[in-house]
């Protein structure tokens, strides 16, 4: 003779059963996820999801929910595991490329920066790193036709965020953007095909002025700062004035008590002074960008860079440097009395332009300046690569 024990379902089991029941009911009413054609590219030291504008809703106000879904934002865990973001600002991006609306362009390019832990979808700035992938994407998708026998392509890009023109020149193979090449850029492993980016008249991208506050030097929270608008609005402060080393690593910037909040306070006040918002709390997350600058160190082999920067993007220390920040630095370095000129070497490493040291290495900005010190023309070299193309899904 035996006794049978009847086990009652636990509360957790009941909860799981109810959740499965709700999920089954939901799947019956909405059996599939949303999806769109898309591609994923590395551009410089960043990555982004790419859309053909023709595949998106005509009303740009409808784009934000799509972008949040595909990137995986907002994510309170800060990892964006349910999307294609990477948990940091340089990996939380979307690019839209479409037919040109500018007479001097072959394609339009709209950039969106997404918050990682917040729902922000910010269209207020350009991304210079991701613009390096715009030309290859345009060729690869047929938005710009490269003949099969052509060895290179020049794609004229109209950035709708800043209303500026960038020319991208790169090799092509069998009508597609070349991937293999010998150019190495600091912050990216390996080598790839070179992409030459020429930024045409990049000053006044958002404010219409190279010096949007009307002066070379301002003061915020007792700290001297220089505000410039070249490729993107930026504000630069000296690391010494903040009591920190100019060569802090991104992790050290994150863990230095009070440093991030101090930089954000300066950035927001600069944004109001530059006319980007009426109140500090209304200043966009992506602009103005802020950088701490310092003088280059010399070793036994001499000086290797002209100045050093540690840049922030959307509240996070950048692993390298945004290209737009590098362009703004190249201009500010030539403005007597600016915080950047104060720390820039008077003996350039490379006469072709300004060599900038950043958290992952160096970058050379080839620069042509006008009589007023403004940047008329700037050139940088980047690499980019198509990582996948197909359909992207979101809930």
């Amino acid at each position: 003779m035996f006794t049978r024990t009847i086990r009652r379902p636990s509360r957790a089991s009941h909860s799981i059963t109810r959740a499965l029941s709700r999920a089954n009911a939901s799947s019956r009413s909405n059996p599939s996820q949303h999806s769109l054609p898309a591609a994923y590219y590395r551009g410089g030291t960043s990555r982004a999801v790419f859309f053909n504008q023709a595949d998106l809703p005509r009303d740009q106000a409808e784009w934000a929910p799509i972008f949040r879904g595909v990137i995986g934002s907002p994510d309170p865990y800060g990892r964006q595991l349910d999307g294609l973001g990477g948990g940091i600002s340089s990996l939380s991006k979307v690019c839209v490329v479409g037919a040109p609306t500018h007479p001097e362009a072959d394609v339009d390019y709209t950039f969106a920066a997404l918050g990682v832990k917040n729902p922000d979808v910010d269209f207020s700035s350009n991304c210079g790193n991701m613009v390096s992938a715009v030309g290859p994407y345009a060729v690869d998708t047929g938005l710009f036709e490269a003949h099969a026998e052509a060895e290179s392509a020049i794609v004229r890009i109209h950035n709708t965020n800043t209303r500026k023109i960038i020319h991208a020149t790169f090799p092509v193979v069998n009508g597609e953007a070349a991937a293999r090449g010998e150019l190495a850029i600091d912050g990216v492993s390996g080598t790839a095909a070179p992409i030459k980016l020429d930024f045409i008249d990049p000053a006044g991208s958002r404010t219409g002025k190279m010096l949007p506050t009307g002066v070379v030097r301002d003061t915020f929270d007792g700290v001297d700062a220089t505000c410039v608008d070249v490729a993107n609005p930026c504000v630069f402060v000296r690391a010494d004035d903040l009591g920190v080393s100019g060569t802090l690593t991104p992790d050290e910037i994150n863990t230095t008590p009070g440093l991030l909040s101090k930089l954000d306070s300066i950035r927001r006040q600069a944004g109001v002074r530059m006319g980007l918002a009426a109140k500090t709390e209304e200043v966009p997350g992506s602009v103005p960008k802020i950088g701490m600058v310092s003088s280059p160190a010399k070793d036994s082999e001499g000086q290797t860079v002209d100045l050093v920067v540690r840049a922030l993007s959307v509240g996070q220390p950048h692993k390298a440097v945004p290209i737009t920040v590098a362009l703004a630095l190249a201009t500010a370095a030539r403005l007597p009395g600016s915080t950047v000129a104060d720390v820039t070497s008077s003996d350039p490493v490379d006469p072709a332009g300004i060599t900038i040291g950043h958290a992952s290495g160096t970058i050379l900005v080839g620069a042509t300046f006008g009589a007023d010190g403004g940047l008329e023309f700037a050139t940088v070299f980047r690499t980019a690569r198509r990582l996948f193309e197909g359909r992207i899904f979101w809930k």
Side-chain angles (χ1 to χ4, degrees), residues 236 292-296 303-309 329-330 333 339-341 343-345 349 354-358:
F236 298 112
M292 298 186 296
V293 295
S294 60
S295 298
Q303 174 187 307
T304 57
V305 298
D306 298 321
L307 71 146
V308 176
V309 66
L329 278 167
T339 55
V340 181
V343 300
T344 301
S345 170
V349 171
I354 302 292
T355 304
I356 300 167
H358 55 77

mmCIF file with all atom_site columns, all heavy atoms in Angstrom, residues 236 292-296 303-309 329-330 333 339-341 343-345 349 354-358:
data_model
loop_
_atom_site.group_PDB
_atom_site.id
_atom_site.type_symbol
_atom_site.label_atom_id
_atom_site.label_alt_id
_atom_site.label_comp_id
_atom_site.label_asym_id
_atom_site.label_entity_id
_atom_site.label_seq_id
_atom_site.pdbx_PDB_ins_code
_atom_site.Cartn_x
_atom_site.Cartn_y
_atom_site.Cartn_z
_atom_site.occupancy
_atom_site.B_iso_or_equiv
_atom_site.pdbx_formal_charge
_atom_site.auth_seq_id
_atom_site.auth_comp_id
_atom_site.auth_asym_id
_atom_site.auth_atom_id
_atom_site.pdbx_PDB_model_num
ATOM 1   N N   . PHE A 1 236 ? 35.153 73.500 -25.456 1.00 0.00 ? 236 PHE A N   1
ATOM 2   C CA  . PHE A 1 236 ? 36.417 72.921 -25.019 1.00 0.00 ? 236 PHE A CA  1
ATOM 3   C C   . PHE A 1 236 ? 36.914 73.605 -23.757 1.00 0.00 ? 236 PHE A C   1
ATOM 4   O O   . PHE A 1 236 ? 36.951 74.839 -23.679 1.00 0.00 ? 236 PHE A O   1
ATOM 5   C CB  . PHE A 1 236 ? 37.466 73.033 -26.125 1.00 0.00 ? 236 PHE A CB  1
ATOM 6   C CG  . PHE A 1 236 ? 37.088 72.290 -27.376 1.00 0.00 ? 236 PHE A CG  1
ATOM 7   C CD1 . PHE A 1 236 ? 36.796 72.990 -28.542 1.00 0.00 ? 236 PHE A CD1 1
ATOM 8   C CD2 . PHE A 1 236 ? 37.004 70.905 -27.384 1.00 0.00 ? 236 PHE A CD2 1
ATOM 9   C CE1 . PHE A 1 236 ? 36.444 72.308 -29.703 1.00 0.00 ? 236 PHE A CE1 1
ATOM 10  C CE2 . PHE A 1 236 ? 36.640 70.220 -28.537 1.00 0.00 ? 236 PHE A CE2 1
ATOM 11  C CZ  . PHE A 1 236 ? 36.355 70.910 -29.694 1.00 0.00 ? 236 PHE A CZ  1
ATOM 12  N N   . MET A 1 292 ? 37.854 67.852 -23.116 1.00 0.00 ? 292 MET A N   1
ATOM 13  C CA  . MET A 1 292 ? 38.919 68.365 -22.250 1.00 0.00 ? 292 MET A CA  1
ATOM 14  C C   . MET A 1 292 ? 40.219 68.321 -23.044 1.00 0.00 ? 292 MET A C   1
ATOM 15  O O   . MET A 1 292 ? 40.578 67.282 -23.595 1.00 0.00 ? 292 MET A O   1
ATOM 16  C CB  . MET A 1 292 ? 39.061 67.510 -20.992 1.00 0.00 ? 292 MET A CB  1
ATOM 17  C CG  . MET A 1 292 ? 37.840 67.490 -20.102 1.00 0.00 ? 292 MET A CG  1
ATOM 18  S SD  . MET A 1 292 ? 38.171 66.584 -18.551 1.00 0.00 ? 292 MET A SD  1
ATOM 19  C CE  . MET A 1 292 ? 38.471 64.919 -19.173 1.00 0.00 ? 292 MET A CE  1
ATOM 20  N N   . VAL A 1 293 ? 40.909 69.442 -23.120 1.00 0.00 ? 293 VAL A N   1
ATOM 21  C CA  . VAL A 1 293 ? 42.131 69.515 -23.910 1.00 0.00 ? 293 VAL A CA  1
ATOM 22  C C   . VAL A 1 293 ? 43.343 69.716 -23.010 1.00 0.00 ? 293 VAL A C   1
ATOM 23  O O   . VAL A 1 293 ? 43.249 70.245 -21.903 1.00 0.00 ? 293 VAL A O   1
ATOM 24  C CB  . VAL A 1 293 ? 42.053 70.648 -24.954 1.00 0.00 ? 293 VAL A CB  1
ATOM 25  C CG1 . VAL A 1 293 ? 40.962 70.345 -25.971 1.00 0.00 ? 293 VAL A CG1 1
ATOM 26  C CG2 . VAL A 1 293 ? 41.811 72.006 -24.293 1.00 0.00 ? 293 VAL A CG2 1
ATOM 27  N N   . SER A 1 294 ? 44.496 69.279 -23.512 1.00 0.00 ? 294 SER A N   1
ATOM 28  C CA  . SER A 1 294 ? 45.744 69.435 -22.767 1.00 0.00 ? 294 SER A CA  1
ATOM 29  C C   . SER A 1 294 ? 46.916 69.441 -23.736 1.00 0.00 ? 294 SER A C   1
ATOM 30  O O   . SER A 1 294 ? 46.783 69.065 -24.907 1.00 0.00 ? 294 SER A O   1
ATOM 31  C CB  . SER A 1 294 ? 45.911 68.310 -21.736 1.00 0.00 ? 294 SER A CB  1
ATOM 32  O OG  . SER A 1 294 ? 45.926 67.049 -22.373 1.00 0.00 ? 294 SER A OG  1
ATOM 33  N N   . SER A 1 295 ? 48.070 69.872 -23.242 1.00 0.00 ? 295 SER A N   1
ATOM 34  C CA  . SER A 1 295 ? 49.276 69.942 -24.065 1.00 0.00 ? 295 SER A CA  1
ATOM 35  C C   . SER A 1 295 ? 49.859 68.555 -24.281 1.00 0.00 ? 295 SER A C   1
ATOM 36  O O   . SER A 1 295 ? 49.737 67.679 -23.421 1.00 0.00 ? 295 SER A O   1
ATOM 37  C CB  . SER A 1 295 ? 50.328 70.831 -23.397 1.00 0.00 ? 295 SER A CB  1
ATOM 38  O OG  . SER A 1 295 ? 49.855 72.160 -23.266 1.00 0.00 ? 295 SER A OG  1
ATOM 39  N N   . PRO A 1 296 ? 50.499 68.343 -25.428 1.00 0.00 ? 296 PRO A N   1
ATOM 40  C CA  . PRO A 1 296 ? 51.106 67.031 -25.690 1.00 0.00 ? 296 PRO A CA  1
ATOM 41  C C   . PRO A 1 296 ? 52.351 66.818 -24.852 1.00 0.00 ? 296 PRO A C   1
ATOM 42  O O   . PRO A 1 296 ? 53.091 67.765 -24.551 1.00 0.00 ? 296 PRO A O   1
ATOM 43  C CB  . PRO A 1 296 ? 51.454 67.098 -27.177 1.00 0.00 ? 296 PRO A CB  1
ATOM 44  C CG  . PRO A 1 296 ? 51.648 68.556 -27.450 1.00 0.00 ? 296 PRO A CG  1
ATOM 45  C CD  . PRO A 1 296 ? 50.669 69.269 -26.565 1.00 0.00 ? 296 PRO A CD  1
ATOM 46  N N   . GLN A 1 303 ? 57.893 65.043 -29.838 1.00 0.00 ? 303 GLN A N   1
ATOM 47  C CA  . GLN A 1 303 ? 56.446 65.231 -29.805 1.00 0.00 ? 303 GLN A CA  1
ATOM 48  C C   . GLN A 1 303 ? 55.774 64.410 -30.921 1.00 0.00 ? 303 GLN A C   1
ATOM 49  O O   . GLN A 1 303 ? 56.233 64.362 -32.049 1.00 0.00 ? 303 GLN A O   1
ATOM 50  C CB  . GLN A 1 303 ? 56.160 66.716 -30.007 1.00 0.00 ? 303 GLN A CB  1
ATOM 51  C CG  . GLN A 1 303 ? 54.727 67.104 -30.141 1.00 0.00 ? 303 GLN A CG  1
ATOM 52  C CD  . GLN A 1 303 ? 54.629 68.569 -30.500 1.00 0.00 ? 303 GLN A CD  1
ATOM 53  O OE1 . GLN A 1 303 ? 55.203 69.419 -29.831 1.00 0.00 ? 303 GLN A OE1 1
ATOM 54  N NE2 . GLN A 1 303 ? 53.910 68.862 -31.564 1.00 0.00 ? 303 GLN A NE2 1
ATOM 55  N N   . THR A 1 304 ? 54.681 63.733 -30.571 1.00 0.00 ? 304 THR A N   1
ATOM 56  C CA  . THR A 1 304 ? 53.984 62.897 -31.562 1.00 0.00 ? 304 THR A CA  1
ATOM 57  C C   . THR A 1 304 ? 52.629 63.458 -31.963 1.00 0.00 ? 304 THR A C   1
ATOM 58  O O   . THR A 1 304 ? 52.055 63.033 -32.962 1.00 0.00 ? 304 THR A O   1
ATOM 59  C CB  . THR A 1 304 ? 53.790 61.480 -31.024 1.00 0.00 ? 304 THR A CB  1
ATOM 60  O OG1 . THR A 1 304 ? 53.060 61.533 -29.780 1.00 0.00 ? 304 THR A OG1 1
ATOM 61  C CG2 . THR A 1 304 ? 55.139 60.800 -30.778 1.00 0.00 ? 304 THR A CG2 1
ATOM 62  N N   . VAL A 1 305 ? 52.073 64.397 -31.179 1.00 0.00 ? 305 VAL A N   1
ATOM 63  C CA  . VAL A 1 305 ? 50.796 65.030 -31.509 1.00 0.00 ? 305 VAL A CA  1
ATOM 64  C C   . VAL A 1 305 ? 50.894 66.522 -31.222 1.00 0.00 ? 305 VAL A C   1
ATOM 65  O O   . VAL A 1 305 ? 51.811 66.980 -30.534 1.00 0.00 ? 305 VAL A O   1
ATOM 66  C CB  . VAL A 1 305 ? 49.619 64.412 -30.710 1.00 0.00 ? 305 VAL A CB  1
ATOM 67  C CG1 . VAL A 1 305 ? 49.447 62.939 -31.053 1.00 0.00 ? 305 VAL A CG1 1
ATOM 68  C CG2 . VAL A 1 305 ? 49.799 64.607 -29.208 1.00 0.00 ? 305 VAL A CG2 1
ATOM 69  N N   . ASP A 1 306 ? 49.937 67.272 -31.741 1.00 0.00 ? 306 ASP A N   1
ATOM 70  C CA  . ASP A 1 306 ? 49.921 68.720 -31.531 1.00 0.00 ? 306 ASP A CA  1
ATOM 71  C C   . ASP A 1 306 ? 49.104 69.133 -30.312 1.00 0.00 ? 306 ASP A C   1
ATOM 72  O O   . ASP A 1 306 ? 49.351 70.191 -29.726 1.00 0.00 ? 306 ASP A O   1
ATOM 73  C CB  . ASP A 1 306 ? 49.365 69.418 -32.771 1.00 0.00 ? 306 ASP A CB  1
ATOM 74  C CG  . ASP A 1 306 ? 50.220 69.168 -33.996 1.00 0.00 ? 306 ASP A CG  1
ATOM 75  O OD1 . ASP A 1 306 ? 51.459 69.149 -33.860 1.00 0.00 ? 306 ASP A OD1 1
ATOM 76  O OD2 . ASP A 1 306 ? 49.657 68.961 -35.089 1.00 0.00 ? 306 ASP A OD2 1
ATOM 77  N N   . LEU A 1 307 ? 48.113 68.339 -29.965 1.00 0.00 ? 307 LEU A N   1
ATOM 78  C CA  . LEU A 1 307 ? 47.325 68.567 -28.757 1.00 0.00 ? 307 LEU A CA  1
ATOM 79  C C   . LEU A 1 307 ? 46.626 67.265 -28.393 1.00 0.00 ? 307 LEU A C   1
ATOM 80  O O   . LEU A 1 307 ? 46.564 66.326 -29.192 1.00 0.00 ? 307 LEU A O   1
ATOM 81  C CB  . LEU A 1 307 ? 46.290 69.678 -28.944 1.00 0.00 ? 307 LEU A CB  1
ATOM 82  C CG  . LEU A 1 307 ? 45.085 69.380 -29.835 1.00 0.00 ? 307 LEU A CG  1
ATOM 83  C CD1 . LEU A 1 307 ? 43.849 70.098 -29.331 1.00 0.00 ? 307 LEU A CD1 1
ATOM 84  C CD2 . LEU A 1 307 ? 45.364 69.809 -31.272 1.00 0.00 ? 307 LEU A CD2 1
ATOM 85  N N   . VAL A 1 308 ? 46.093 67.225 -27.186 1.00 0.00 ? 308 VAL A N   1
ATOM 86  C CA  . VAL A 1 308 ? 45.441 66.024 -26.666 1.00 0.00 ? 308 VAL A CA  1
ATOM 87  C C   . VAL A 1 308 ? 44.013 66.367 -26.272 1.00 0.00 ? 308 VAL A C   1
ATOM 88  O O   . VAL A 1 308 ? 43.756 67.444 -25.709 1.00 0.00 ? 308 VAL A O   1
ATOM 89  C CB  . VAL A 1 308 ? 46.205 65.465 -25.442 1.00 0.00 ? 308 VAL A CB  1
ATOM 90  C CG1 . VAL A 1 308 ? 45.474 64.268 -24.832 1.00 0.00 ? 308 VAL A CG1 1
ATOM 91  C CG2 . VAL A 1 308 ? 47.629 65.074 -25.836 1.00 0.00 ? 308 VAL A CG2 1
ATOM 92  N N   . VAL A 1 309 ? 43.072 65.466 -26.557 1.00 0.00 ? 309 VAL A N   1
ATOM 93  C CA  . VAL A 1 309 ? 41.685 65.689 -26.184 1.00 0.00 ? 309 VAL A CA  1
ATOM 94  C C   . VAL A 1 309 ? 41.080 64.423 -25.594 1.00 0.00 ? 309 VAL A C   1
ATOM 95  O O   . VAL A 1 309 ? 41.451 63.301 -25.975 1.00 0.00 ? 309 VAL A O   1
ATOM 96  C CB  . VAL A 1 309 ? 40.835 66.143 -27.400 1.00 0.00 ? 309 VAL A CB  1
ATOM 97  C CG1 . VAL A 1 309 ? 40.724 65.030 -28.433 1.00 0.00 ? 309 VAL A CG1 1
ATOM 98  C CG2 . VAL A 1 309 ? 39.459 66.618 -26.965 1.00 0.00 ? 309 VAL A CG2 1
ATOM 99  N N   . LEU A 1 329 ? 38.198 71.074 -33.191 1.00 0.00 ? 329 LEU A N   1
ATOM 100 C CA  . LEU A 1 329 ? 39.493 71.287 -32.544 1.00 0.00 ? 329 LEU A CA  1
ATOM 101 C C   . LEU A 1 329 ? 40.496 71.918 -33.499 1.00 0.00 ? 329 LEU A C   1
ATOM 102 O O   . LEU A 1 329 ? 41.263 72.818 -33.119 1.00 0.00 ? 329 LEU A O   1
ATOM 103 C CB  . LEU A 1 329 ? 40.052 69.958 -32.038 1.00 0.00 ? 329 LEU A CB  1
ATOM 104 C CG  . LEU A 1 329 ? 39.546 69.447 -30.693 1.00 0.00 ? 329 LEU A CG  1
ATOM 105 C CD1 . LEU A 1 329 ? 39.962 67.999 -30.506 1.00 0.00 ? 329 LEU A CD1 1
ATOM 106 C CD2 . LEU A 1 329 ? 40.074 70.306 -29.552 1.00 0.00 ? 329 LEU A CD2 1
ATOM 107 N N   . ALA A 1 330 ? 40.498 71.445 -34.751 1.00 0.00 ? 330 ALA A N   1
ATOM 108 C CA  . ALA A 1 330 ? 41.436 71.983 -35.729 1.00 0.00 ? 330 ALA A CA  1
ATOM 109 C C   . ALA A 1 330 ? 41.236 73.477 -35.928 1.00 0.00 ? 330 ALA A C   1
ATOM 110 O O   . ALA A 1 330 ? 42.195 74.230 -36.123 1.00 0.00 ? 330 ALA A O   1
ATOM 111 C CB  . ALA A 1 330 ? 41.282 71.250 -37.062 1.00 0.00 ? 330 ALA A CB  1
ATOM 112 N N   . ALA A 1 333 ? 42.175 75.414 -32.512 1.00 0.00 ? 333 ALA A N   1
ATOM 113 C CA  . ALA A 1 333 ? 43.623 75.453 -32.297 1.00 0.00 ? 333 ALA A CA  1
ATOM 114 C C   . ALA A 1 333 ? 44.265 76.647 -32.989 1.00 0.00 ? 333 ALA A C   1
ATOM 115 O O   . ALA A 1 333 ? 45.358 77.086 -32.608 1.00 0.00 ? 333 ALA A O   1
ATOM 116 C CB  . ALA A 1 333 ? 44.255 74.162 -32.798 1.00 0.00 ? 333 ALA A CB  1
ATOM 117 N N   . THR A 1 339 ? 40.962 78.307 -25.545 1.00 0.00 ? 339 THR A N   1
ATOM 118 C CA  . THR A 1 339 ? 41.490 77.305 -24.614 1.00 0.00 ? 339 THR A CA  1
ATOM 119 C C   . THR A 1 339 ? 42.263 76.229 -25.359 1.00 0.00 ? 339 THR A C   1
ATOM 120 O O   . THR A 1 339 ? 43.185 75.620 -24.800 1.00 0.00 ? 339 THR A O   1
ATOM 121 C CB  . THR A 1 339 ? 40.341 76.653 -23.826 1.00 0.00 ? 339 THR A CB  1
ATOM 122 O OG1 . THR A 1 339 ? 39.375 76.109 -24.746 1.00 0.00 ? 339 THR A OG1 1
ATOM 123 C CG2 . THR A 1 339 ? 39.656 77.654 -22.913 1.00 0.00 ? 339 THR A CG2 1
ATOM 124 N N   . VAL A 1 340 ? 41.897 75.982 -26.610 1.00 0.00 ? 340 VAL A N   1
ATOM 125 C CA  . VAL A 1 340 ? 42.593 74.964 -27.397 1.00 0.00 ? 340 VAL A CA  1
ATOM 126 C C   . VAL A 1 340 ? 43.943 75.490 -27.877 1.00 0.00 ? 340 VAL A C   1
ATOM 127 O O   . VAL A 1 340 ? 44.957 74.789 -27.813 1.00 0.00 ? 340 VAL A O   1
ATOM 128 C CB  . VAL A 1 340 ? 41.727 74.510 -28.591 1.00 0.00 ? 340 VAL A CB  1
ATOM 129 C CG1 . VAL A 1 340 ? 42.439 73.423 -29.389 1.00 0.00 ? 340 VAL A CG1 1
ATOM 130 C CG2 . VAL A 1 340 ? 40.381 73.990 -28.099 1.00 0.00 ? 340 VAL A CG2 1
ATOM 131 N N   . ALA A 1 341 ? 43.977 76.733 -28.353 1.00 0.00 ? 341 ALA A N   1
ATOM 132 C CA  . ALA A 1 341 ? 45.248 77.328 -28.787 1.00 0.00 ? 341 ALA A CA  1
ATOM 133 C C   . ALA A 1 341 ? 46.247 77.371 -27.641 1.00 0.00 ? 341 ALA A C   1
ATOM 134 O O   . ALA A 1 341 ? 47.459 77.240 -27.855 1.00 0.00 ? 341 ALA A O   1
ATOM 135 C CB  . ALA A 1 341 ? 45.003 78.725 -29.348 1.00 0.00 ? 341 ALA A CB  1
ATOM 136 N N   . VAL A 1 343 ? 46.919 75.198 -25.490 1.00 0.00 ? 343 VAL A N   1
ATOM 137 C CA  . VAL A 1 343 ? 47.603 73.922 -25.235 1.00 0.00 ? 343 VAL A CA  1
ATOM 138 C C   . VAL A 1 343 ? 48.156 73.293 -26.513 1.00 0.00 ? 343 VAL A C   1
ATOM 139 O O   . VAL A 1 343 ? 48.728 72.202 -26.469 1.00 0.00 ? 343 VAL A O   1
ATOM 140 C CB  . VAL A 1 343 ? 46.652 72.928 -24.535 1.00 0.00 ? 343 VAL A CB  1
ATOM 141 C CG1 . VAL A 1 343 ? 46.172 73.472 -23.198 1.00 0.00 ? 343 VAL A CG1 1
ATOM 142 C CG2 . VAL A 1 343 ? 45.458 72.572 -25.427 1.00 0.00 ? 343 VAL A CG2 1
ATOM 143 N N   . THR A 1 344 ? 47.987 73.957 -27.661 1.00 0.00 ? 344 THR A N   1
ATOM 144 C CA  . THR A 1 344 ? 48.437 73.390 -28.930 1.00 0.00 ? 344 THR A CA  1
ATOM 145 C C   . THR A 1 344 ? 49.890 73.754 -29.201 1.00 0.00 ? 344 THR A C   1
ATOM 146 O O   . THR A 1 344 ? 50.289 74.908 -29.065 1.00 0.00 ? 344 THR A O   1
ATOM 147 C CB  . THR A 1 344 ? 47.555 73.888 -30.089 1.00 0.00 ? 344 THR A CB  1
ATOM 148 O OG1 . THR A 1 344 ? 46.197 73.517 -29.841 1.00 0.00 ? 344 THR A OG1 1
ATOM 149 C CG2 . THR A 1 344 ? 47.997 73.279 -31.416 1.00 0.00 ? 344 THR A CG2 1
ATOM 150 N N   . SER A 1 345 ? 50.668 72.782 -29.627 1.00 0.00 ? 345 SER A N   1
ATOM 151 C CA  . SER A 1 345 ? 52.072 73.025 -29.937 1.00 0.00 ? 345 SER A CA  1
ATOM 152 C C   . SER A 1 345 ? 52.203 73.988 -31.106 1.00 0.00 ? 345 SER A C   1
ATOM 153 O O   . SER A 1 345 ? 51.427 73.945 -32.069 1.00 0.00 ? 345 SER A O   1
ATOM 154 C CB  . SER A 1 345 ? 52.760 71.699 -30.283 1.00 0.00 ? 345 SER A CB  1
ATOM 155 O OG  . SER A 1 345 ? 54.043 71.919 -30.793 1.00 0.00 ? 345 SER A OG  1
ATOM 156 N N   . VAL A 1 349 ? 53.416 68.563 -35.877 1.00 0.00 ? 349 VAL A N   1
ATOM 157 C CA  . VAL A 1 349 ? 54.014 67.271 -36.195 1.00 0.00 ? 349 VAL A CA  1
ATOM 158 C C   . VAL A 1 349 ? 53.978 67.026 -37.695 1.00 0.00 ? 349 VAL A C   1
ATOM 159 O O   . VAL A 1 349 ? 54.930 66.525 -38.289 1.00 0.00 ? 349 VAL A O   1
ATOM 160 C CB  . VAL A 1 349 ? 53.276 66.144 -35.446 1.00 0.00 ? 349 VAL A CB  1
ATOM 161 C CG1 . VAL A 1 349 ? 53.742 64.776 -35.923 1.00 0.00 ? 349 VAL A CG1 1
ATOM 162 C CG2 . VAL A 1 349 ? 53.467 66.287 -33.944 1.00 0.00 ? 349 VAL A CG2 1
ATOM 163 N N   . ILE A 1 354 ? 46.466 69.313 -38.421 1.00 0.00 ? 354 ILE A N   1
ATOM 164 C CA  . ILE A 1 354 ? 46.562 69.205 -36.964 1.00 0.00 ? 354 ILE A CA  1
ATOM 165 C C   . ILE A 1 354 ? 46.518 67.734 -36.575 1.00 0.00 ? 354 ILE A C   1
ATOM 166 O O   . ILE A 1 354 ? 45.604 67.000 -36.973 1.00 0.00 ? 354 ILE A O   1
ATOM 167 C CB  . ILE A 1 354 ? 45.391 69.944 -36.284 1.00 0.00 ? 354 ILE A CB  1
ATOM 168 C CG1 . ILE A 1 354 ? 45.363 71.420 -36.695 1.00 0.00 ? 354 ILE A CG1 1
ATOM 169 C CG2 . ILE A 1 354 ? 45.476 69.810 -34.766 1.00 0.00 ? 354 ILE A CG2 1
ATOM 170 C CD1 . ILE A 1 354 ? 46.512 72.232 -36.183 1.00 0.00 ? 354 ILE A CD1 1
ATOM 171 N N   . THR A 1 355 ? 47.512 67.288 -35.789 1.00 0.00 ? 355 THR A N   1
ATOM 172 C CA  . THR A 1 355 ? 47.540 65.910 -35.298 1.00 0.00 ? 355 THR A CA  1
ATOM 173 C C   . THR A 1 355 ? 47.020 65.900 -33.858 1.00 0.00 ? 355 THR A C   1
ATOM 174 O O   . THR A 1 355 ? 47.586 66.550 -32.980 1.00 0.00 ? 355 THR A O   1
ATOM 175 C CB  . THR A 1 355 ? 48.957 65.331 -35.349 1.00 0.00 ? 355 THR A CB  1
ATOM 176 O OG1 . THR A 1 355 ? 49.456 65.420 -36.690 1.00 0.00 ? 355 THR A OG1 1
ATOM 177 C CG2 . THR A 1 355 ? 48.949 63.876 -34.917 1.00 0.00 ? 355 THR A CG2 1
ATOM 178 N N   . ILE A 1 356 ? 45.938 65.173 -33.649 1.00 0.00 ? 356 ILE A N   1
ATOM 179 C CA  . ILE A 1 356 ? 45.236 65.177 -32.362 1.00 0.00 ? 356 ILE A CA  1
ATOM 180 C C   . ILE A 1 356 ? 45.409 63.829 -31.674 1.00 0.00 ? 356 ILE A C   1
ATOM 181 O O   . ILE A 1 356 ? 45.170 62.774 -32.272 1.00 0.00 ? 356 ILE A O   1
ATOM 182 C CB  . ILE A 1 356 ? 43.742 65.473 -32.572 1.00 0.00 ? 356 ILE A CB  1
ATOM 183 C CG1 . ILE A 1 356 ? 43.557 66.845 -33.232 1.00 0.00 ? 356 ILE A CG1 1
ATOM 184 C CG2 . ILE A 1 356 ? 42.973 65.407 -31.251 1.00 0.00 ? 356 ILE A CG2 1
ATOM 185 C CD1 . ILE A 1 356 ? 42.156 67.087 -33.759 1.00 0.00 ? 356 ILE A CD1 1
ATOM 186 N N   . GLY A 1 357 ? 45.814 63.860 -30.421 1.00 0.00 ? 357 GLY A N   1
ATOM 187 C CA  . GLY A 1 357 ? 45.898 62.650 -29.625 1.00 0.00 ? 357 GLY A CA  1
ATOM 188 C C   . GLY A 1 357 ? 44.582 62.412 -28.900 1.00 0.00 ? 357 GLY A C   1
ATOM 189 O O   . GLY A 1 357 ? 44.020 63.323 -28.299 1.00 0.00 ? 357 GLY A O   1
ATOM 190 N N   . HIS A 1 358 ? 44.058 61.166 -28.965 1.00 0.00 ? 358 HIS A N   1
ATOM 191 C CA  . HIS A 1 358 ? 42.805 60.832 -28.290 1.00 0.00 ? 358 HIS A CA  1
ATOM 192 C C   . HIS A 1 358 ? 42.974 59.545 -27.497 1.00 0.00 ? 358 HIS A C   1
ATOM 193 O O   . HIS A 1 358 ? 44.091 59.010 -27.393 1.00 0.00 ? 358 HIS A O   1
ATOM 194 C CB  . HIS A 1 358 ? 41.654 60.730 -29.294 1.00 0.00 ? 358 HIS A CB  1
ATOM 195 C CG  . HIS A 1 358 ? 41.890 59.782 -30.435 1.00 0.00 ? 358 HIS A CG  1
ATOM 196 N ND1 . HIS A 1 358 ? 41.797 58.417 -30.305 1.00 0.00 ? 358 HIS A ND1 1
ATOM 197 C CD2 . HIS A 1 358 ? 42.208 60.014 -31.732 1.00 0.00 ? 358 HIS A CD2 1
ATOM 198 C CE1 . HIS A 1 358 ? 42.035 57.838 -31.461 1.00 0.00 ? 358 HIS A CE1 1
ATOM 199 N NE2 . HIS A 1 358 ? 42.308 58.794 -32.360 1.00 0.00 ? 358 HIS A NE2 1
#
